[in-house]
Amino acid sequence: MSARGFTTAILHSDRSKPIEHGSLHKPVHNSVAFGYADARDLARVFQGELPGYAYGRQGTPTTSALEDKITTMEQGIATVSFATGMGAIASTMMALLRASDHVVSSSFVFGNTNSLLGTFEQLGIAVSFVDATDVACVAQALRPETRMVFVETIANPRTQVADLAGIGELCRARDIVYVVDNTLTSPYLFLPKRVDASLIVNALTKCIGGHGNALGGAVTDCGLYDWSKYPNIHDSYKKGDASRWAALQIRKKGLRDVGATLAPEAAHHLAVGAETLALRMDRICANALKLAQYLEAHPRVRRVYYPGLESHPQHERAKALFRGAGGLMAFELADGIDCFEFLNRLQIVVSSSNLADNRTLAIPVAHTIYFEMGAERRASMGIADSLIRVSTGIEDEEDLTADFRQALG
Ligand SMILES: *Cc1c(COP(=O)(O)O)cnc(C)c1O
């Protein structure tokens, strides 16, 4: 939007549009319906000839204001917000894929995304799961009917870093839509546009909201993909500039058909959280690096997975691409230490799911978020029974290390 710095641009984003009553925060518009003095204007809004709002499921002024901030942060051209990160991913895929299309996905993706792709397989969309840390594996899986490649920047929970630049080059050369889930890095640590992403997903619930008080998701179009080459755009959305067709189809069809609309109240919480994204991420990354180094040196810890550590297989890639290595790490306890007893000894760190909360959270992966997939699948994904995922918060670093020190004994 401008040459302003990351945080300045977010803080002053609402003022780039007319300000209502001088309010420095975009007001929360809870209205479901929007009325017009001239009924013809209502028709024009429905027909896309007049900008405006008609019914809350398709968006409100409050969600639009948040979408503008995310577009600015990601340096994209358009963003559509959703009730959750999963709502964003599911609605985007529903809007853009058809039966007998093929998708290539990283095999290291968020468990619920993995589950969603399984559902799409049942609906006649073929999915290949590949090791996305190596672009050659992605290239090998491509078929003439491949429509989309889906990866995460840093995978949850084992922190593999995809070959983001290599895959971007490949997709661009083959005109394939490249979807990057930027949730673990956030647009402050990484801009997927730099690696030729077509669409970017952010679970706003995590880094961007940051406070663990609102769910939300978004998909942003980087403006790099020429949608006139994509076979699944309906004629009614082929209006104007082709770079905007997909965002229009995702907004119209995705929000209408799935209905995973972000509530205005939640949009407001997320927009307030976004103001401090850069401040929080700097602190979260610093805390995570110190904690990961402490754990790696500890005799009662077998292994630590964190892209900021030199021992991480994609450390150099992470350093080249990301401003910081993020707040997520996973570690295995040494043999004979019960992960539940260890977690119960922690006094500051909370046993809880969620990521990028201001509070540090820890979860025993195999027994919770990866329980349903079974032991065999876990083993194939390198998820040990003692694996603990930690999402570092913004506590004072000495308190965090002290808590882990006493709990490890
Ligand atoms: C949490 C998460 C999601 C889903 O977000 P929700 O808001 O919980 O639906 C998607 N992708 C990644 C990488 C996540 O960590």
Side-chain angles (χ1 to χ4, degrees):
M1 163 190 118
S2 68
R4 285 177 178 171
F6 188 89
T7 297
T8 312
I10 303 170
L11 288 173
H12 296 278
S13 164
D14 288 344
R15 296 199 300 130
S16 66
K17 299 265 165 71
I19 307 167
E20 294 154 66
H21 313 295
S23 170
L24 292 189
H25 286 279
K26 183 74 190 175
V28 181
H29 290 271
N30 277 322
S31 190
V32 169
F34 296 80
Y36 292 84
D38 182 345
R40 287 185 203 88
D41 283 344
L42 179 63
R44 288 189 192 107
V45 167
F46 263 88
Q47 292 166 23
E49 281 165 22
L50 188 71
Y53 301 89
Y55 184 65
R57 182 163 14 84
Q58 299 297 117
T60 60
T62 318
T63 54
S64 297
L66 175 65
E67 288 164 357
D68 287 346
K69 291 189 178 84
I70 294 157
T71 301
T72 300
M73 288 192 264
E74 290 286 10
Q75 299 183 12
I77 60 164
T79 296
V80 187
S81 61
F82 294 90
T84 60
M86 286 315 301
I89 298 171
S91 306
T92 298
M93 290 186 176
M94 283 264 294
L96 295 181
L97 296 171
R98 292 183 183 172
S100 57
D101 285 347
H102 175 240
V103 176
V104 177
S105 168
S106 165
S107 45
F108 315 119
V109 287
F110 182 59
N112 300 350
T113 303
N114 188 78
S115 157
L116 172 71
L117 289 166
T119 301
F120 279 124
E121 281 183 299
Q122 290 169 355
L123 298 173
I125 292 163
V127 185
S128 302
F129 292 95
V130 302
D131 178 357
T133 62
D134 181 0
V135 64
C137 300
V138 177
Q140 235 164 37
L142 295 183
R143 303 177 191 169
E145 66 276 18
T146 305
R147 298 271 169 265
M148 187 180 281
V149 172
F150 184 95
V151 302
E152 292 174 4
T153 51
I154 301 175
N156 168 6
R158 274 277 313 273
T159 72
Q160 296 96 334
V161 179
D163 186 355
L164 293 157
I167 299 169
E169 232 173 89
L170 174 72
C171 290
R172 195 171 182 94
R174 303 281 287 266
D175 285 327
I176 293 168
V177 174
Y178 182 26
V179 185
V180 176
D181 184 334
N182 199 23
T183 298
L184 271 279
T185 24
S186 88
Y188 177 63
L189 297 184
F190 177 58
L191 288 177
K193 188 179 182 179
R194 297 227 170 102
V195 295
D196 285 333
S198 319
L199 298 172
I200 304 168
V201 169
N202 278 290
L204 307 176
T205 315
K206 314 289 174 58
C207 301
I208 291 178
H211 295 67
N213 61 350
L215 291 154
V219 61
T220 301
D221 193 317
C222 292
L224 301 176
Y225 190 84
D226 177 1
W227 294 98
S228 68
K229 292 178 178 164
Y230 195 75
N232 299 351
I233 303 290
H234 302 279
D235 285 339
S236 38
Y237 307 126
K238 291 179 179 171
K239 279 186 193 161
D241 184 357
S243 66
R244 293 183 170 271
W245 293 357
L248 186 61
Q249 183 156 311
I250 293 166
R251 176 175 300 285
K252 291 282 187 179
K253 286 288 283 177
L255 282 174
R256 179 196 303 154
D257 297 359
V258 183
T261 308
L262 181 62
E265 203 75 54
H268 173 70
H269 283 304
L270 296 166
V272 173
E275 294 185 353
T276 53
L277 174 61
L279 285 76
R280 288 183 283 105
M281 290 312 285
D282 281 341
R283 174 93 161 208
I284 281 175
C285 291
N287 277 353
L289 182 60
K290 289 212 176 104
L291 180 62
Q293 287 167 338
Y294 174 78
L295 291 173
E296 191 172 46
H298 201 288
R300 305 194 77 185
V301 172
R302 182 157 60 193
R303 225 167 143 177
V304 183
Y305 304 97
Y306 180 63
L309 293 175
E310 278 168 26
S311 58
H312 191 281
Q314 291 94 36
H315 173 67
E316 289 305 323
R317 178 181 291 163
K319 220 166 73 175
L321 291 172
F322 309 146
R323 194 200 291 254
L328 187 96
M329 73 186 74
F331 68 96
E332 292 166 20
L333 290 162
D335 285 337
I337 307 176
D338 184 276
C339 66
F340 292 104
E341 284 173 17
F342 165 75
L343 287 168
N344 288 346
R345 281 195 294 272
L346 289 165
Q347 287 165 11
I348 293 171
V349 178
V350 192
S351 288
S352 171
S353 67
N354 197 20
L355 308 172
D357 193 296
N358 282 335
R359 297 145 197 84
T360 298
L361 310 176
I363 190 163
V365 175
H367 309 275
T368 55
I369 48 177
Y370 278 60
F371 179 74
E372 199 180 298
M373 65 175 57
E376 202 175 309
R377 186 87 207 288
R378 281 198 297 274
S380 79
M381 296 181 80
I383 308 291
D385 281 352
S386 74
L387 191 76
I388 291 174
R389 183 188 79 184
V390 178
S391 168
T392 50
I394 60 169
E395 292 94 344
D396 297 280
E397 189 270 322
E398 315 80 66
D399 292 333
L400 271 186
T401 317
D403 199 22
F404 276 90
R405 185 184 303 122
Q406 65 80 20
L408 283 165

